[in-house]
Amino acid sequence: MADKTITHNNKNIFVYKNVFNRRECLNIYNDIVNASYVRTNIDCFLLNNIDRDVKWYSPVQPNTPIHQTINEKYYNTIKEIDWSTVQYDGQYVNYNTSNSVDMIHTDRSSNEEGYFTILHYANHTWDVNWHGLTTWYSDDLKEIVYAFVPDPGSVVVFDSRLQHSSTAPSTIAGHPRFTIATKVHHRLA
């Protein structure tokens, strides 16, 4: 079961602490730090193409060691998802630096129920003074529902319809902020 559950308008956020131990965090970090990343153009029109890193990501390919390692942990840890009815919609690594910009967004529209985002904090170490929080907002964007400080080895599962964003790591951060995002949904019978 989750270490913490936050509910807003019948949409849940489940927080799992220490899903991955220190050795697993180091192994995953070593895999993702050497991955190839590409820049997307998401949100570029809002930034007027100023010199900012909008989004950098690297797809996690099926049947690779990292895919198998993290997904096995998800199956064994996240009990709020019925894994027998789940279909994967994608998995990728987010790479954020102090120049990164992440606009407030949802991963699914408000009428698409049964979709979840699994966000794995994949750094091997993180200092609270490096910032890089993930923040979830009310539907009208007037309130912060929950904010999570990156915690190595932790996983947050949330309803993909929730408004959220990440803040850029501080310039004093020892390294980029890495998260592995997994998108899943329940298949209809």
Side-chain angles (χ1 to χ4, degrees):
M1 298 301 287
D3 294 303
K4 185 173 193 171
T5 302
I6 300 91
T7 302
H8 174 74
N9 288 346
N10 296 317
K11 295 175 242 173
N12 293 315
I13 302 169
F14 303 106
V15 178
Y16 298 86
K17 297 283 203 161
N18 303 311
V19 174
F20 297 88
N21 65 36
R22 174 94 172 128
R23 170 75 46 215
E24 291 166 327
C25 287
L26 284 167
N27 289 340
I28 291 167
Y29 180 80
N30 286 335
D31 284 343
I32 63 177
V33 77
N34 293 311
S36 296
Y37 290 86
V38 294
R39 181 178 178 190
T40 69
N41 290 325
I42 288 177
D43 298 336
C44 270
F45 70 97
L46 295 172
L47 299 173
N48 296 318
N49 293 317
I50 58 177
D51 187 25
R52 304 291 282 174
D53 292 337
V54 181
K55 292 269 192 173
W56 290 92
Y57 81 101
S58 178
V60 175
Q61 300 301 326
N63 302 316
T64 58
I66 190 169
H67 181 268
Q68 293 167 347
T69 299
I70 62 178
N71 290 331
E72 182 178 333
K73 282 281 192 167
Y74 297 165
Y75 301 147
N76 293 326
T77 305
I78 302 168
K79 302 301 181 194
E80 287 78 7
I81 293 178
D82 179 359
W83 292 102
S84 67
T85 68
V86 162
Q87 179 174 326
Y88 276 88
D89 294 328
Q91 192 168 51
Y92 53 90
V93 181
N94 290 305
Y95 174 103
N96 295 85
T97 67
S98 60
N99 275 343
S100 295
V101 175
D102 187 23
M103 303 304 227
I104 298 171
H105 64 282
T106 63
D107 294 337
R108 285 293 178 178
S109 68
S110 62
N111 63 347
E112 293 182 281
E113 293 184 26
Y115 287 83
F116 298 93
T117 301
I118 302 168
L119 201 55
H120 168 195
Y121 293 83
N123 288 81
H124 62 85
T125 187
W126 197 261
D127 185 299
V128 68
N129 292 307
W130 295 352
H131 307 292
L133 282 72
T134 304
T135 307
W136 289 266
Y137 303 88
S138 61
D139 295 336
D140 63 5
L141 303 178
K142 292 185 178 182
E143 293 179 46
I144 292 175
V145 172
Y146 184 63
F148 186 79
V149 176
D151 185 14
S154 293
V155 172
V156 177
V157 180
F158 60 94
D159 186 312
S160 298
R161 299 172 296 164
L162 282 165
Q163 300 271 358
H164 62 284
S165 68
S166 65
T167 58
S170 166
T171 56
I172 65 167
H175 40 76
R177 172 189 182 267
F178 291 102
T179 56
I180 302 173
T182 304
K183 311 291 178 74
V184 299
H185 74 274
H186 289 289
R187 294 185 302 266
L188 299 174

